[in-house]
Amino acid sequence: MMMTTLKRVAQEAGVHVATASAVLNGAVGNTRVSESTRDRVLLAARQQGYVRNESASRLRTGKSNAVGFIGGDMRNPFFSELAACLEKALLQRDLQLVISHVSISQSTTFAKTVQILHQQMVNKIIYWDEPASSLFEPFKADTQMLPIGFTKHTRPGVWLDLNHAIRLSVAYLVKRRMRRVGFFAPQGQKESPSVAIRLKTFQNECLKFGLRSPTSGYYVGESWDIQAATEGARELLRNHPKIDAWLGFNDIAAMGLLFAAQAMSRKPVIVCFDGTPLVRNWPGKPPILDLKIATLAEKAVSVAVGEESAEVTGKRRHWIRPELILPN
Amino acid sequence: MMMTTLKRVAQEAGVHVATASAVLNGAVGNTRVSESTRDRVLLAARQQGYVRNESASRLRTGKSNAVGFIGGDMRNPFFSELAACLEKALLQRDLQLVISHVSISQSTTFAKTVQILHQQMVNKIIYWDEPASSLFEPFKADTQMLPIGFTKHTRPGVWLDLNHAIRLSVAYLVKRRMRRVGFFAPQGQKESPSVAIRLKTFQNECLKFGLRSPTSGYYVGESWDIQAATEGARELLRNHPKIDAWLGFNDIAAMGLLFAAQAMSRKPVIVCFDGTPLVRNWPGKPPILDLKIATLAEKAVSVAVGEESAEVTGKRRHWIRPELILPN
DNA sequence: CTGAAAGCGCTTACAG
DNA sequence: CTGAAAGCGCTTACAG
């Protein structure tokens, strides 16, 4: 089965390509088509199995039906979940998701990734914005960039309320009468600003609630590396036997804590940040700080396609309010 | 920063577009360029930050630097791992990975997915071939399709040796003196041929080794749904208290078994099929049937780009030999 | 060694 | 209501 062209469809229907194009694009602009012509074109297109050549269409219009997503490694369940939710929201609008990279390697800079997407004529990009990656530089003006994440900026974007999320977690730990709490997060080679912000916020909340400053620990490696997380967690638990409760910053970090605690027959309270399916069914049902990934994705797509604005007005700086899910 | 065009680069360098094109594409064909011209073009391109317009290039040549991948849902760690490995192998060859769909919904047919990739001018597609999905129909002749998977076909493709994998597992269980063994797998709404083949093979191997026919169980839901897997496993373990060992067909299935067994304080031997990072660090280090995903990906890419052939010659029908990884 | 021209398939003003 | 034409940016034979 060969690829048909618009020309061939038009010939078959006995009309000009321009007319066929108008029909197949839903009769835009001032071009209207008679019922019978319309039917003939539609029939011919169906018979020949016509599929629009996206390359040509994109070249001509400079637009595409694809929206890019730059996140983290898809092996991190948070990002595969986010991508799945984004895709779902896009498909409902007849749009397509293009993922920049499955795994962003060290050498690949953000700018390079944007460029690759741009080459594909993707002119809307949703990206997970971590201060760590220093993604804040300005880019090609002709690509619309929508940041999402939990950094709390005053600039437009779709933001999760980090303060609220951490406050919920700390309040819960206080209510359960935890005295000494800790924090476990992934960390690359360098100091990560994004982790620092979370730790800082956590410290602040602890202070407010009268807890002593939290212990912190990290695993060195890719964020999705559950092996690194488990090894890190094991060492952390060994070094800090008196900590009652841990906040795992990332479902993989949480998973590492859960694995390690179990192997060592320890039972600290472990709050899981993210809320992907991965941790939801852990035996004993740990408390989960649900980031509401589906809601985030829906909102992001809605903003990206222009249905809603992401302007920051007054105190409205966050769109998504995470929730704490407790074992029942 | 606006997008530059080849024309603008050529103007700046004082040459014709055709010359600039020749330089930027590595001087193909009979077109050779003098050293100085070459340098001028390269300089101008760098100064203007020239990036080839892929849409135009694809439209003109009918080729692209992208290779498609159609697998399962990326929330299934097997597929995200496979995608990451494929991407790595492709990047080494300056090629790009385009993932068809993050999550293949029920309604999306395989043909539709191929079409979407094709629209993007992807003319090489690597796909995970499960008999379940009835992917065997012929497709557009102008797209090169490379099947990979463990179905053992006589047609070209990159195949994992399923028999060998299961034989290794059964031999291991026999050596550990297991008497009653079982099988746990994901299953959609309908009977899945792919699962049936695995079960059949498992049964055969059990017979050969003098074990009684294995018990089988399934979880109904998406393959990546760890919650469904855990619930299914819990019921399975409850209903079959005397089974000594289980084969989890899928790391999610294995994970479900591990979760459930732990919650019920049971300790059957659980062999994990796949070998993604997810199960590698489970406390107690379960035996893992490593499918060698990285090797599979490398081989698949090598075949897809034409470095190697996937022709089936004589008895050589499998390329990848899975290995059993034991706790040390 | 370099230039001029054609054309990939589509869409969009514009003319009729 | 429909047709003719231009042109998006690129690459590839071909001519000089």
Side-chain angles (χ1 to χ4, degrees):
Chain A
M1 178 164 120
M2 266 295 291
M3 284 259 102
T4 333
T5 63
L6 194 57
K7 196 173 161 190
R8 209 142 24 184
V9 169
Q11 274 172 352
E12 181 67 28
V15 298
H16 195 265
V17 273
T19 311
S21 174
V23 171
L24 265 4
N25 289 315
V28 247
N30 60 354
T31 308
R32 277 191 232 156
V33 188
S34 73
E35 199 70 27
S36 78
T37 306
R38 176 179 192 73
D39 290 347
R40 283 210 315 285
V41 172
L42 253 24
L43 180 68
R46 212 172 312 120
Q47 279 179 343
Q48 300 186 30
Y50 174 74
V51 183
R52 186 205 296 39
N53 181 325
E54 275 301 317
S55 296
S57 178
R58 288 175 191 183
L59 174 58
R60 179 59 232 256
T61 63
K63 291 178 184 173
S64 84
N65 60 349
V67 173
F69 172 55
I70 305 177
D73 196 302
M74 291 293 140
R75 284 170 289 190
N76 181 338
F78 176 74
F79 289 112
S80 58
E81 184 71 22
L82 182 51
C85 292
L86 284 171
E87 185 191 48
K88 194 181 162 207
L90 287 169
L91 281 179
Q92 283 170 0
R93 293 159 173 89
D94 253 312
L95 260 23
Q96 224 194 301
L97 179 68
V98 174
I99 298 170
S100 70
H101 274 293
V102 181
S103 55
I104 298 183
S105 65
Q106 302 283 34
S107 60
T108 308
T109 65
F110 187 70
K112 174 77 182 163
T113 306
V114 173
Q115 209 178 59
I116 289 175
L117 282 177
H118 206 80
Q119 269 186 192
Q120 317 269 9
M121 280 281 85
V122 167
N123 29 35
K124 290 176 192 204
I125 296 179
I126 296 172
Y127 67 100
W128 179 255
D129 186 355
E130 291 275 4
S133 336
S134 64
L135 308 183
F136 297 145
E137 308 141 26
F139 305 104
K140 302 191 190 313
D142 47 354
T143 307
Q144 185 195 317
M145 306 287 300
L146 175 67
I148 64 178
F150 20 56
T151 35
K152 48 161 196 172
H153 293 295
T154 46
R155 64 203 180 87
V158 178
W159 308 114
L160 291 157
D161 190 339
L162 180 65
N163 283 334
H164 177 68
I166 292 187
R167 195 174 313 123
L168 282 178
S169 310
V170 175
Y172 168 75
L173 295 178
V174 167
K175 194 173 155 207
R176 293 227 13 211
R177 309 197 167 279
M178 302 288 119
R179 304 305 300 156
R180 296 160 198 241
V181 301
F183 166 102
F184 185 51
Q187 184 149 46
Q189 313 299 24
K190 302 175 203 163
E191 278 277 313
S192 154
S194 74
V195 169
I197 285 179
R198 293 175 211 184
L199 177 55
K200 184 80 186 158
T201 311
F202 188 35
Q203 285 171 331
N204 287 344
E205 291 301 324
C206 284
L207 248 158
K208 285 189 202 158
F209 280 91
L211 290 179
R212 70 173 67 179
S213 191
T215 299
S216 62
Y218 306 93
Y219 61 93
V220 178
E222 303 293 339
S223 71
W224 53 268
D225 190 339
I226 197 150
Q227 192 144 349
T230 307
E231 272 157 30
R234 202 169 287 153
E235 198 184 321
L236 190 66
L237 292 182
R238 198 182 304 121
N239 292 342
H240 300 282
K242 301 206 165 171
I243 302 293
D244 308 309
W246 294 97
L247 208 56
F249 254 108
N250 189 344
D251 276 354
I252 296 293
M255 204 73 180
L257 285 167
L258 291 164
F259 275 135
Q262 194 156 67
M264 299 164 80
S265 301
R266 296 259 289 272
K267 291 189 188 287
V269 169
I270 294 165
V271 178
C272 308
F273 234 78
D274 277 8
T276 64
L278 195 60
V279 293
R280 296 227 168 179
N281 221 35
W282 186 274
K285 306 267 178 192
I288 288 168
L289 205 292
D290 183 4
L291 296 179
K292 316 204 83 176
I293 301 176
T295 313
L296 172 65
E298 174 59 32
K299 179 77 186 173
V301 166
S302 164
V303 169
V305 303
E307 293 166 11
E308 293 182 68
S309 158
E311 285 305 321
V312 178
T313 54
K315 290 188 179 173
R316 178 74 182 238
R317 288 192 306 201
H318 300 104
W319 298 98
I320 314 297
R321 240 177 128 71
E323 277 176 26
L324 186 67
I325 301 178
L326 298 179
N328 49 357
Chain B
M1 179 163 118
M2 268 294 292
M3 285 256 101
T4 334
T5 63
L6 194 57
K7 195 173 161 190
R8 216 155 3 199
V9 169
Q11 273 171 353
E12 181 67 29
V15 298
H16 196 264
V17 274
T19 312
S21 174
V23 171
L24 264 6
N25 290 315
V28 248
N30 60 354
T31 309
R32 275 190 235 160
V33 188
S34 72
E35 200 70 27
S36 79
T37 307
R38 177 182 191 71
D39 290 346
R40 283 210 315 286
V41 171
L42 254 23
L43 179 68
R46 213 172 313 119
Q47 279 178 342
Q48 300 187 30
Y50 174 73
V51 182
R52 186 205 293 47
N53 180 326
E54 276 299 318
S55 296
S57 178
R58 287 176 191 183
L59 173 59
R60 177 61 231 256
T61 63
K63 291 176 185 174
S64 85
N65 60 350
V67 174
F69 172 54
I70 305 177
D73 196 303
M74 291 292 141
R75 284 171 289 192
N76 181 338
F78 176 74
F79 289 112
S80 60
E81 183 71 23
L82 181 52
C85 291
L86 283 170
E87 184 191 49
K88 193 181 163 209
L90 287 169
L91 282 179
Q92 283 170 0
R93 294 160 172 87
D94 254 311
L95 259 25
Q96 225 195 302
L97 179 67
V98 175
I99 298 170
S100 69
H101 274 293
V102 183
S103 56
I104 298 183
S105 64
Q106 302 284 33
S107 60
T108 309
T109 65
F110 187 70
K112 174 79 183 164
T113 307
V114 173
Q115 210 178 58
I116 289 175
L117 282 177
H118 205 80
Q119 269 185 191
Q120 318 269 8
M121 281 281 85
V122 167
N123 31 34
K124 289 176 193 206
I125 295 178
I126 296 172
Y127 68 99
W128 179 256
D129 187 355
E130 291 275 3
S133 336
S134 63
L135 309 183
F136 297 146
E137 308 140 25
F139 304 106
K140 301 191 191 316
D142 47 353
T143 307
Q144 185 195 318
M145 306 286 301
L146 176 66
I148 64 178
F150 22 55
T151 36
K152 48 160 197 174
H153 293 295
T154 46
R155 65 203 179 86
V158 178
W159 307 114
L160 292 156
D161 191 339
L162 179 66
N163 284 334
H164 177 68
I166 292 187
R167 195 174 313 122
L168 282 178
S169 311
V170 174
Y172 168 74
L173 295 178
V174 166
K175 194 173 156 207
R176 294 230 9 214
R177 307 197 168 281
M178 302 288 120
R179 306 304 300 156
R180 295 160 199 241
V181 300
F183 166 103
F184 184 52
Q187 184 149 47
Q189 312 300 22
K190 301 177 204 163
E191 279 277 312
S192 152
S194 75
V195 169
I197 285 179
R198 293 175 211 185
L199 177 55
K200 184 81 187 159
T201 310
F202 188 36
Q203 284 170 332
N204 288 344
E205 290 301 324
C206 283
L207 248 158
K208 284 190 203 157
F209 279 92
L211 291 178
R212 70 173 67 177
S213 190
T215 299
S216 62
Y218 306 92
Y219 61 92
V220 178
E222 304 293 338
S223 72
W224 53 268
D225 189 339
I226 198 150
Q227 192 145 349
T230 307
E231 273 157 29
R234 202 169 287 154
E235 199 184 320
L236 190 66
L237 292 182
R238 199 183 303 122
N239 293 342
H240 301 281
K242 302 206 165 169
I243 301 293
D244 309 308
W246 294 95
L247 208 56
F249 254 110
N250 190 344
D251 276 354
I252 296 293
M255 204 73 180
L257 285 167
L258 291 164
F259 274 134
Q262 194 156 66
M264 300 164 79
S265 302
R266 297 259 290 272
K267 292 190 187 286
V269 169
I270 294 165
V271 178
C272 307
F273 234 78
D274 278 6
T276 64
L278 194 61
V279 293
R280 295 228 170 177
N281 221 35
W282 185 274
K285 305 268 179 191
I288 288 168
L289 205 292
D290 183 4
L291 295 180
K292 315 205 84 175
I293 300 176
T295 313
L296 172 65
E298 174 59 33
K299 178 77 186 174
V301 167
S302 164
V303 169
V305 303
E307 293 166 11
E308 294 182 69
S309 158
E311 284 305 320
V312 178
T313 55
K315 290 187 179 175
R316 179 74 183 239
R317 289 192 307 201
H318 300 104
W319 298 99
I320 314 299
R321 240 177 129 70
E323 275 176 26
L324 187 66
I325 301 178
L326 297 179
N328 48 358

